[in-house]
Amino acid sequence: MSLHAPVVLDIAGTTLNDDDRRRIRHPLAGGLILFARNWADRRQLVELTAEIKSLREDLLICVDHEGGRVQRFRSDGFTHLPPMRAFGELWMQDAMRATAAATAAGYVLASELRACGVDFSFTPVLDLDHGPSQVIGDRAFHRDARVAALLAKSLMHGLLQAGMASCGKHFPGHGFVKADSHLALPVDRRSLKAILADDAQPYDWLAGSLNAVMPAHVVYPKVDALPAGFSRRWLQEILRERLGFDGAVFSDDLSMEGAKGVGSTLDAALLALGAGCDLVLLCNQSTVDGGAPVDALLEGLDRAAAAGLWTPSADSERRRQALLPQQLPLGWDDLMHAPAYRRALEQLP
């Protein structure tokens, strides 16, 4: 086993090819993120995840599966989960029912994924709904940090009941800026004091219960010239030291426009790891030139470690391993008849 396996990569299709198998076995590969293009039906997904685990039992199989418009698997029995804003709207009518519904959503989300061999989803979104952000929008629970934090904690409780870890995103907050960091580099010109008193508050309140955090590809120039995911100030001084967070930190996707200002993909990965990320995501690159960008990153990190430009971290590897499920999941057929699952479905808004 690698001392530190920081790269979360992807695959092109619904089955593994020889290049995928080689990359999955690479000692620096720590995770694999699935997309809608990797999905045909449940049987195919179960076979795919089983083969991945047969190659690397400790590989973390991940997906962006939040509900609403960000849900990769939507057919063949998967529940269509509402966007997180639906829970915030329910809160305004009945706060206790909203927290129960959020827990139910977390349980349904995690138990369905785990029944198909998926370990981990990048959820909950902790961004606040300031209004102008198109990329966040109804993915956010609420404008009020207190409501967002309580509903997120309820959702995390549901994830935990199904044996899945949580990932708060996008630290310290992506909801205030209009630009989409997939397409541009957003800039949030507020002071550190203003951000900590509002958007970053859920991370303070949930620091002891979140298992992972994903920082935003957003620049907060009054705090640091670098986007949060490449900033020691944000990740070490603020997230780790001031807020006391000790879980895993994932970079957001290094192929996004918001990450390109710092140099090549390898430069971005080294900067993110140096700033305090434990894992780096490289998405949608297995479909480019047969996955050449993925190979370039794995080989580049190998060379960087040999040259002393990057030091693999045993602490980071411990945090990565802690995200792997600790309990066996219910199979799909058993899940469909489980009273807790059936009750959770009834509680969804």
Side-chain angles (χ1 to χ4, degrees):
M1 193 187 76
S2 174
L3 169 66
H4 179 194
V7 178
V8 181
L9 42 80
D10 66 356
I11 56 173
T14 53
T15 56
L16 298 181
N17 61 35
D18 286 342
D19 286 327
D20 296 327
R21 293 184 187 96
R22 172 177 55 77
R23 290 177 195 125
I24 285 167
R25 287 194 187 100
H26 195 288
L28 294 181
L32 189 144
I33 181 166
L34 297 171
F35 290 92
R37 68 169 182 273
N38 306 126
W39 160 263
D41 54 40
R42 270 192 295 114
R43 181 177 174 180
Q44 166 269 330
L45 181 60
V46 169
E47 288 172 358
L48 175 63
T49 56
E51 185 180 358
I52 291 164
K53 289 290 186 178
S54 75
L55 298 169
R56 274 284 298 284
E57 195 181 1
D58 73 317
L59 201 78
L60 185 72
I61 302 177
C62 317
V63 68
D64 268 330
H65 202 86
E66 303 166 7
R69 59 199 151 95
V70 182
Q71 182 172 335
R72 304 304 183 209
F73 314 137
R74 295 170 170 270
S75 54
D76 202 12
F78 268 91
T79 303
H80 285 224
L81 295 161
M84 296 303 102
R85 180 184 284 167
F87 300 96
E89 288 169 347
L90 184 57
W91 174 280
M92 303 311 287
Q93 301 157 33
D94 184 338
M96 297 314 294
R97 193 166 152 240
T99 60
T103 298
Y107 181 73
V108 169
L109 183 161
S111 58
E112 289 180 356
L113 288 175
R114 292 212 55 218
C116 296
V118 178
D119 298 321
F120 183 75
S121 176
F122 292 103
T123 187
V125 170
L126 297 179
D127 301 313
L128 303 184
D129 188 4
H130 287 274
S133 172
Q134 312 275 273
V135 70
I136 303 303
D138 66 0
R139 295 166 66 192
F141 285 104
H142 206 274
R143 168 62 187 89
D144 187 322
R146 297 166 300 176
V147 178
L150 279 168
L151 288 173
K153 191 166 190 178
S154 300
L155 184 111
M156 288 156 57
H157 186 191
L159 298 176
L160 192 64
Q161 286 174 330
M164 184 178 282
S166 56
C167 180
K169 62 187 188 186
H170 304 82
F171 175 78
H174 199 314
F176 189 76
V177 289
K178 190 168 185 180
D180 177 351
S181 53
H182 293 84
L183 310 171
L185 179 58
V187 178
D188 184 337
R189 300 191 182 279
R190 292 176 298 167
S191 67
L192 176 60
K193 185 178 176 185
I195 295 165
L196 288 177
D198 196 7
D199 293 60
Q201 278 209 303
Y203 295 92
D204 186 7
W205 293 325
L206 301 175
S209 41
L210 277 168
N211 304 108
V213 162
M214 178 180 284
H217 284 330
V218 175
V219 174
Y220 308 84
K222 292 200 172 143
V223 184
D224 196 340
L226 289 165
F230 304 104
S231 161
R232 285 187 68 83
R233 177 111 201 262
W234 277 116
L235 300 185
Q236 302 282 5
E237 290 178 31
I238 299 169
L239 182 63
R240 294 261 189 241
E241 290 164 27
R242 190 185 289 210
L243 303 184
F245 177 70
D246 186 44
V249 177
F250 287 85
S251 80
D252 206 342
D253 174 17
L254 297 180
S255 72
M256 285 163 57
E257 278 303 316
K260 290 191 176 163
V262 299
S264 70
T265 301
L266 178 60
D267 293 336
L270 290 170
L271 194 59
L273 291 165
C277 286
D278 302 295
L279 296 120
V280 291
L281 268 81
L282 186 61
C283 302
N284 303 314
Q285 300 303 293
S286 60
T287 59
V288 178
D289 297 334
V294 188
D295 290 330
L297 177 59
L298 292 169
E299 290 158 15
L301 283 176
D302 257 340
R303 286 195 307 273
L309 300 173
W310 166 61
T311 306
S313 160
D315 282 342
S316 288
E317 183 60 14
R318 169 184 59 77
R319 294 185 189 112
R320 184 191 77 81
Q321 294 265 348
L323 300 176
L324 290 160
Q326 304 301 306
Q327 66 193 58
L328 288 172
L330 283 177
W332 191 273
D333 291 344
D334 289 335
L335 180 65
M336 293 302 108
H337 297 103
Y341 174 77
R342 298 181 75 84
R343 169 142 178 76
L345 288 178
E346 290 167 7
Q347 291 179 300
L348 293 175

